[in-house]
Amino acid sequence: MISRRHLLQLGGLTALGAGLPGGALRAFAQGPAPTRRLVVVSHCHGWPYAAWRMRPTGKSDDQPWTLDLSSLAQSEFSKPLAPLYEHRRRLLALDGLSLATAELDTGGNRHDRGWIHAWTGNNADFAARDTRSTSASLDQLIAAHIARPDRLPSLELSVDAALEAGRPISYNLGGVRLPAESTPLGAWERVFGPASSGDAVGTRRRTTLDFAYDEYRELAPRLGATDRARLESHFGLVQRLGHRLEALATLACTAPARPAASFEKYDKRFDAFTDIIAAAFSCDITRVVSLSLGEMPTAEFGADKISDKVHKGIAHYIYDDPKKYAAMTDYLQHHARQVARLVSTLEAIPDAGGDSVMDNTLIVWGSELGDGWHGYGHYCPVLIGGSWAFKTGRYMYWPHQTPAEMRVPSQILAGGTTRLSGIPHQRLLVSVAGAMGLEVDHVGLKHVRGQRGDFIDLSGPLNGLTA
């Protein structure tokens, strides 16, 4: 992991902090409104709900309730949430949501439907070779609103493993998935490459763009109005790209060391990506990151004696074998440790106004499924940060009362179908969008009909987050 001293250097505040008495740094740095940032983290195979949930004595499953996390000992946290105990004041653990619209969607497989619904709030399109969404993902909506025009609008990362890569979770306005950097070295070169490649490379890039635009201007008088408008739009994009390349090439910011070309351990890859995210935020190279987590080798979370494959060796059979349920609990707990390290890293970086970068960052941690059995019923996202918009430090529960039927294994319920689901997760997407400054009343679908014809409203934020 990147050192605290180097993180301070990335923020450009080491010398300043050393030369000022306590409290003076905060007073000195008072200025414009802080820069808000978003990280979307998405892991594979959902949650082992019975292990993840928390049920204090006296709390009913029939009524909504809220639990103050600050009053609990670490031993009172569930096993998958315990690694986040140090950051409990920043948490909103949400129990009572479902990927209801993914269940109501048709076609394709449940993984693809799940990751598209989870992060776009909309239906999947299986007509093309590559699964598409029918609208943009949450990270791209927010990036379009808060990005600097001279920097990267967003950064898409995927912590891949040998057996299964991270899921595609970022989709543009046309519903096409955005490519993700799957190695720390590739991500580093995208973020810091223009500034480290030398003026000659940047100049050649700029010259090439200028040459193409000069050719267009010579051709334009011979074009019709429609073709000219299309090319003007195209070269508008080219000009913005050139502006961005110039800005990135002249960054006055210390980059972390160039990472290795490859890492043997999944954990090491995650930490290398964490360092790049921290540096990119500190240098204001981007304000939005999506981090898709491929499945870990089973040896890294102690399940190699059960199977060498998470997906088809363990996750599918959590309701058939208690050992496999326990293994997926360990799998999720390991991811929680990784997310906790990301939070700690962002906390170590000073930000404007004397806060840390984490103080001005919202992390949304979700998945593409409710559980490894491919269920959508219990969707259990965790928000970390965002205290400027949310009342954090809470575990929130809502009973399932939405009239949408959800598939469950027969071991859980005879007949394999519930009559009700949790709150549609689109309300969470609206809440996150609002926290990042978007004034929207829906993200993705606005309403649907349940299997029995009931009208289900998907608009508006999730109640109680700001209470």
Side-chain angles (χ1 to χ4, degrees):
M1 294 286 284
I2 201 166
S3 69
R4 178 175 175 82
R5 177 178 177 81
H6 192 67
L7 288 170
L8 289 167
Q9 290 172 336
L10 289 174
L13 295 174
T14 301
L16 179 62
L20 293 175
L25 177 58
R26 178 181 295 273
F28 179 88
Q30 293 297 330
T35 298
R36 304 302 189 196
R37 307 170 184 91
L38 174 73
V39 182
V40 171
V41 180
S42 187
H43 73 278
C44 302
H45 312 306
W47 299 263
Y49 178 66
W52 178 90
R53 70 180 187 175
M54 294 168 61
R55 287 296 183 275
T57 303
K59 299 295 186 182
S60 168
D61 281 358
D62 299 324
Q63 299 292 328
W65 48 265
T66 298
L67 178 65
D68 179 6
L69 296 177
S70 65
S71 65
L72 302 182
Q74 186 167 5
S75 60
E76 296 177 275
F77 271 52
S78 65
K79 185 175 181 180
L81 288 173
L84 292 167
Y85 181 78
E86 178 186 355
H87 307 295
R88 60 194 179 280
R89 69 180 179 87
R90 299 188 186 273
L91 300 185
L92 275 169
L94 306 178
D95 180 353
L97 278 62
S98 291
L99 288 176
T101 57
E103 192 74 80
L104 295 168
D105 200 357
T106 58
N109 69 77
R110 292 175 73 86
H111 280 280
D112 290 51
R113 290 214 312 266
W115 70 59
I116 286 176
H117 279 264
W119 300 114
T120 73
N122 217 326
N123 290 325
D125 178 0
F126 292 99
R129 180 178 180 181
D130 188 27
T131 306
R132 296 186 177 187
S133 175
T134 44
S135 63
S137 53
L138 177 69
D139 61 308
Q140 293 306 297
L141 294 174
I142 291 171
H145 182 68
I146 69 172
R148 285 178 54 162
D150 61 337
R151 300 294 170 88
L152 295 178
S154 60
L155 183 61
E156 293 74 45
L157 306 175
S158 178
V159 189
D160 287 357
L163 296 175
E164 194 158 341
R167 317 307 199 202
I169 59 175
S170 294
Y171 293 82
N172 68 16
L173 293 175
V176 178
R177 71 178 178 92
L178 299 178
E181 296 291 350
S182 59
T183 66
L185 180 57
W188 188 95
E189 289 177 341
R190 182 179 174 193
V191 173
F192 298 105
S196 64
S197 58
D199 292 339
V201 174
T203 300
R204 286 197 296 271
R205 286 171 173 163
R206 181 73 243 183
T207 301
T208 301
L209 295 174
D210 288 342
F211 176 78
Y213 189 64
D214 288 341
E215 283 199 326
Y216 157 69
R217 285 190 299 179
E218 291 182 6
L219 180 64
R222 290 175 277 170
L223 299 175
T226 300
D227 290 336
R228 192 161 55 247
R230 288 175 178 170
L231 279 177
E232 283 288 356
S233 176
H234 170 73
F235 274 101
L237 294 174
V238 169
Q239 288 293 94
R240 289 195 291 275
L241 174 59
H243 180 49
R244 191 177 302 152
L245 286 171
E246 285 183 341
L248 291 174
T250 56
L251 277 174
C253 182
T254 304
R258 184 188 296 267
S262 62
F263 291 84
E264 181 181 352
K265 295 290 188 179
Y266 182 101
D267 241 12
K268 296 297 184 182
R269 286 195 294 279
F270 183 94
D271 287 346
F273 277 124
T274 291
D275 290 346
I276 291 166
I277 293 169
F281 279 174
S282 175
C283 297
D284 204 16
I285 294 173
T286 191
R287 296 171 179 178
V288 175
V289 173
S290 64
L291 181 62
S292 182
L293 306 180
E295 62 179 43
M296 290 179 284
T298 55
E300 294 208 26
F301 61 99
D304 48 320
K305 292 182 179 179
I306 297 175
S307 175
D308 62 349
K309 298 179 180 65
V310 176
H311 187 174
K312 296 182 179 179
I314 301 177
H316 283 185
Y317 306 105
I318 57 173
Y319 298 116
D320 300 316
D321 186 339
K323 291 183 179 179
K324 294 185 177 181
Y325 196 99
M328 290 309 294
T329 301
D330 293 337
Y331 173 89
L332 186 60
Q333 183 186 48
H334 199 86
H335 276 322
R337 293 190 188 102
Q338 293 168 334
V339 173
R341 292 202 300 271
L342 171 61
V343 175
S344 295
T345 300
L346 297 180
E347 284 180 336
I349 308 173
D351 203 7
D355 293 329
S356 71
V357 167
M358 186 62 221
D359 290 327
N360 296 310
T361 297
L362 172 59
I363 298 174
V364 185
W365 177 19
S367 182
E368 92 271 15
L369 293 170
D371 59 42
W373 181 82
H374 294 168
Y376 295 134
H378 289 288
Y379 192 71
C380 306
V382 176
L383 301 180
I384 310 170
S387 58
W388 64 86
F390 303 134
K391 182 181 177 182
T392 59
R394 297 183 295 161
Y395 182 107
M396 302 184 70
Y397 170 81
W398 300 268
H400 285 209
Q401 297 176 339
T402 301
E405 298 175 359
M406 308 297 289
R407 285 179 54 190
V408 295
S410 58
Q411 298 96 316
I412 300 297
L413 181 67
T417 305
T418 68
R419 288 187 59 80
L420 300 173
S421 78
I423 299 170
H425 83 290
Q426 280 86 352
R427 293 183 179 272
L428 171 64
L429 302 184
V430 173
S431 293
V432 172
M436 300 306 298
L438 275 72
E439 295 182 2
V440 295
D441 73 342
H442 71 284
V443 174
L445 296 163
K446 192 170 186 177
H447 56 78
V448 290
R449 294 278 180 181
Q451 294 92 336
R452 301 183 298 274
D454 299 278
F455 179 85
I456 302 173
D457 185 8
L458 307 174
S459 63
L462 192 59
N463 293 332
L465 296 191
T466 59

